[in-house]
Amino acid sequence: MTGITRAVAHCGPVSLDALTAEAELLTRVDRKYLMRIDGARAVLCAVDDRTRVLEQHGARDFAYESVYFDTADRLSYHLAARSRRRRFKLRSRTYVGAGVSFLEMKTRGGRGVTVKERIAYDPGHRRRLTEAGRAYSAEAFAGIGLDPALVDGLDAALTTRYRRTTLLAPDGSRATIDTALVWIDADGRTLELPDWVIVESKSAGPPSALDRALWRSGMRPAGISKFGTGTAALHPELSGNKWARLLRGPFATATESAAPGSATSVTAARPHLPAPRPTKDLS
């Protein structure tokens, strides 16, 4: 049992089917917080006893892997860094323990909501776009006013790995707590933040009870993007002004490992930088 799962041990379980039925929230408002793990535990210990925790086969935290696709000139990254209205994130999401993958397109809807569409995907192809993946991506690009031909230049650019605990609150909102945070770029360089967690609330709009508890503890939404901030941290030559505070703060303490076979060894700190249903879901 991890420190996070111990913090919510007073909460009852919820099954994946019940969680999906009650609060799938593919169209939602996300608020993200990057915080020390001890601070997260303190807040979670006090959540409403009626909160339920996703549990499968007795486990309450699960391994995830996401592979993000981008063009050679990093179009997806630059659109995110500049907060463009038509920005997108295309990724495969794998639920490691279940051996289930999806190909997901995340875009921004009206009033800052996140819209996520996804199709079932072969886990064996999660690091590449199959013909079906290319067709899905091209259609998604056309739907947000981008050139479908962009799909021809997409390749795996960043991999993230972490463990996730998911909460279902009495008000129907959800929250996820991600630990053991790891980023790996296309060259195999690795960045880790072992002492930090990402807490993300997901609601239909208004702040959740967890948001208010985090605010009372002194936390405010950090605007962290696993894809954007991780890319900026691993590639300091890119403009990362949108995430400058995080790059100078938590990410400045991250540990970095060189790609296998590189002459560069592990760096103690960066001195200058900081299993759902296999169907298509569309909101």
Side-chain angles (χ1 to χ4, degrees):
M1 183 179 291
T2 68
I4 293 300
T5 54
R6 280 196 298 271
V8 292
H10 63 289
C11 300
V14 63
S15 69
L16 179 59
D17 285 344
L19 177 73
T20 301
E22 294 185 43
E24 192 163 23
L25 291 175
L26 292 178
T27 301
R28 68 209 186 198
V29 175
D30 299 335
R31 298 175 180 88
K32 300 179 184 179
Y33 307 82
L34 180 62
M35 56 194 303
R36 292 277 188 182
I37 193 167
D38 54 352
R41 283 197 299 258
V43 172
L44 293 170
C45 281
V47 298
D48 192 316
D49 289 350
R50 296 172 296 165
T51 299
R52 289 174 287 165
V53 184
L54 175 62
E55 183 174 308
Q56 297 186 85
H57 307 296
R60 287 190 165 196
D61 78 323
F62 308 94
Y64 282 56
E65 180 185 271
S66 296
V67 178
Y68 292 87
F69 297 90
D70 205 352
T71 58
D73 60 358
R74 300 189 184 275
L75 176 63
S76 179
Y77 172 80
H78 289 300
L79 290 174
R82 297 166 186 166
S83 299
R84 296 297 192 230
R85 182 174 62 86
R86 292 178 178 176
R87 62 191 183 271
F88 68 92
K89 293 176 188 173
L90 178 67
R91 72 187 181 196
S92 65
R93 161 68 62 81
T94 300
Y95 302 82
V96 177
V100 173
S101 292
F102 294 93
L103 185 65
E104 301 180 342
M105 178 71 83
K106 294 181 72 175
T107 58
R108 299 291 281 184
R111 300 183 179 180
V113 299
T114 299
V115 180
K116 182 173 72 174
E117 304 171 17
R118 63 188 183 184
I119 59 172
Y121 211 61
D122 183 343
H125 296 311
R126 66 187 184 277
R127 301 184 189 282
R128 58 180 290 269
L129 290 178
T130 62
E131 285 303 312
R134 288 165 54 85
Y136 164 76
S137 304
E139 182 180 355
F141 283 142
I144 58 174
L146 293 175
D147 185 354
L150 283 171
V151 71
D152 295 330
L154 291 173
D155 204 351
L158 183 75
T159 299
T160 63
R161 294 174 182 160
Y162 49 93
R163 300 194 66 86
R164 169 167 289 185
T165 298
T166 300
L167 309 182
L168 176 61
D171 63 5
S173 64
R174 284 171 50 186
T176 57
I177 303 94
D178 296 342
T179 61
L181 302 166
V182 178
W183 290 261
I184 307 167
D185 73 6
D187 297 322
R189 288 182 299 158
T190 300
L191 198 68
E192 300 183 39
L193 280 177
D195 299 323
W196 296 79
V197 301
I198 296 175
V199 178
E200 182 174 356
S201 70
K202 308 165 192 287
S203 68
S208 67
L210 180 60
D211 285 306
R212 293 190 290 271
L214 289 165
W215 297 348
R216 288 193 297 272
S217 76
M219 296 301 302
R220 290 295 181 270
I224 186 173
S225 157
K226 286 191 184 77
F227 169 63
T229 315
T231 298
L234 282 164
H235 295 275
E237 73 278 6
L238 297 173
S239 173
N241 292 339
K242 181 175 180 179
W243 303 288
R245 184 176 63 84
L246 295 173
L247 296 174
R248 290 194 302 266
F251 278 83
T253 67
T255 57
E256 182 179 349
S257 302
S262 169
T264 306
S265 60
V266 175
T267 303
R270 296 175 62 81
H272 304 298
L273 296 176
R277 297 185 179 103
T279 57
K280 180 174 180 178
D281 298 291
L282 173 60
S283 294

